[in-house]
Amino acid sequence: MARFTDKVAIVTGSSNGIGRATAVLLASEGAKVTITGRDSERLEGTRQAILKAGVEESHLISVVADITSAHGQDLLISSTLEKFGKIDILINNAGANIPDANGKTRTEGGIDTFLKMFQLNLQSVVEMTQKVRPHLAKTRGEIVNVSSIAAGPAAQPQGPYYSSAKAALDQYSRSAAIDLISEGIRINVVQPGFVETGFSTVARGLNAEESASFYNSMGAQPHCIPAGFCAKPEHIASVIAFLADRKASEYIVGQTITADGGSTLVLGFHAHFAQKAPKN
Ligand code: NDP
């Protein structure tokens, strides 16, 4: 029996990137999955990827929705319950570093940008957690939140609002995890480092070619990524699946797992010494 057989999962932000890879993985390993995002064309791309992996069409629903709207959240939950009858797993993955009207993401961004950033990266997670809570209490279910190494402690001048929202998400997750574990609901967090997704097209305004070149050049610099490459979405999806699998990770509660190829552990001098190891 596959590890997610008989489980029902909602994966937010699954029309692209990490969410898509997670939905494909969970569905391939037996879960019934609700995929969602605002872009119907990209969402169809995820649906096709899941079907191509050999998953039955009846194990899948697509819901086009804005996760920041109450209507979108309610539709996501009601469609899942109507189709599958329960919810076992909620992956709160949708997120972005949203540029302001002038394409900037730094401290010059106005309060409207700040609010949008918190609404997507934090508030929608809080709202989804509240709404899904009674259903997860019935199934003794799991929540995995997708944060970022941007949450700190290193400064993130290129995205102060995004990184603050992710830092708040981490602390919310720890606190909610302890509050809800008494109901049998387990919450954990994954903090990815650099991952080749649509993230840089949104956050940095790069086209696909520029984005690939950005990720390749980051991966080639050991003081940025000691592992020597940027993650593919599948590298993060497997960590999310581990935390969503109660048999594999039951005793992990309210923790943050960093999956960043070592990025957060290096300072410039580490890379220098790694490249030029002193001879004995
Ligand atoms: P992508 O841009 O590839 O995917 C983001 C997903 O979020 C898309 O499916 C998008 O769907 C969805 N989304 C964004 N805004 C909304 C909204 N308002 N309503 C519904 N869905 C929305 O990026 P990633 O896969 O990289 O991002 C996934 C998560 O990983 C995010 O939380 C991000 O912050 C985090 N992360 C990413 C890193 C990276 O280097 N890639 C590093 C660290 C963290 P659509 O556009 O169809 O609405």
Side-chain angles (χ1 to χ4, degrees):
M1 196 168 77
R3 67 175 155 159
F4 293 110
T5 300
D6 295 331
K7 300 293 182 190
V8 174
I10 297 175
V11 184
T12 73
S14 41
S15 54
N16 211 14
I18 295 168
R20 175 180 287 174
T22 303
V24 171
L25 180 60
L26 296 182
S28 307
E29 298 206 31
K32 293 174 179 155
V33 176
T34 301
I35 55 171
T36 182
R38 294 161 303 175
D39 186 314
S40 56
E41 223 169 279
R42 280 208 297 257
L43 195 56
E44 178 58 19
T46 302
R47 203 178 80 87
Q48 291 302 333
I50 292 174
L51 295 176
K52 205 169 149 202
V55 173
E56 278 176 42
E57 196 149 15
S58 63
H59 282 202
L60 182 61
I61 50 166
S62 307
V63 179
V64 175
D66 184 335
I67 198 67
T68 63
S69 80
H71 171 73
Q73 296 161 3
D74 294 341
L75 182 66
L76 197 50
I77 294 165
S78 63
S79 308
T80 305
L81 291 171
E82 203 174 295
K83 171 90 176 169
F84 302 128
K86 61 169 185 162
I87 302 168
D88 298 284
I89 297 167
L90 170 63
I91 313 294
N92 286 310
N93 163 76
N97 186 5
I98 308 163
D100 71 8
N102 301 312
K104 311 277 187 202
T105 59
R106 299 172 77 104
T107 47
E108 68 276 73
I111 288 300
D112 54 338
T113 306
F114 166 85
L115 289 173
K116 265 194 220 154
M117 210 81 83
F118 271 72
Q119 195 185 14
L120 174 61
N121 293 292
L122 178 66
Q123 188 179 326
S124 73
V125 176
V126 173
E127 289 166 336
M128 282 299 288
T129 302
Q130 288 179 345
K131 289 177 180 182
V132 171
R133 176 181 180 175
H135 307 290
L136 290 181
K138 280 187 204 152
T139 56
R140 293 176 58 78
E142 330 291 331
I143 297 179
V144 182
N145 293 332
V146 179
S147 177
S148 169
I149 58 168
Q156 297 291 325
Q158 75 286 8
Y161 304 155
Y162 171 73
S163 57
S164 306
K166 291 296 196 185
L169 174 64
D170 288 359
Q171 181 63 344
Y172 168 74
S173 303
R174 280 188 283 272
S175 307
I178 298 309
D179 196 24
L180 299 191
I181 193 65
S182 61
E183 296 175 19
I185 301 171
R186 216 162 50 97
I187 303 180
N188 286 292
V189 178
V190 178
Q191 274 191 346
F194 288 93
V195 192
E196 285 188 51
T197 66
F199 185 84
S200 63
T201 56
V202 176
R204 300 184 184 88
L206 306 179
N207 63 34
E209 202 178 313
E210 290 165 338
S211 175
S213 138
F214 166 77
Y215 285 121
N216 288 338
S217 69
M218 292 302 281
Q221 299 176 58
H223 57 285
C224 295
I225 308 175
F229 61 95
C230 277
K232 300 285 182 203
E234 290 72 19
H235 288 109
I236 309 304
S238 60
V239 183
I240 294 173
F242 166 68
L243 290 174
D245 175 5
R246 187 157 296 215
K247 280 200 193 115
S249 59
E250 180 163 14
Y251 213 51
I252 302 179
V253 173
Q255 294 301 311
T256 299
I257 295 189
T258 299
D260 69 348
S263 294
T264 48
L265 295 185
V266 286
L267 299 170
F269 65 79
H270 289 121
H272 177 79
F273 287 119
Q275 284 179 318
K276 297 178 188 169
K279 290 193 179 112
N280 291 327

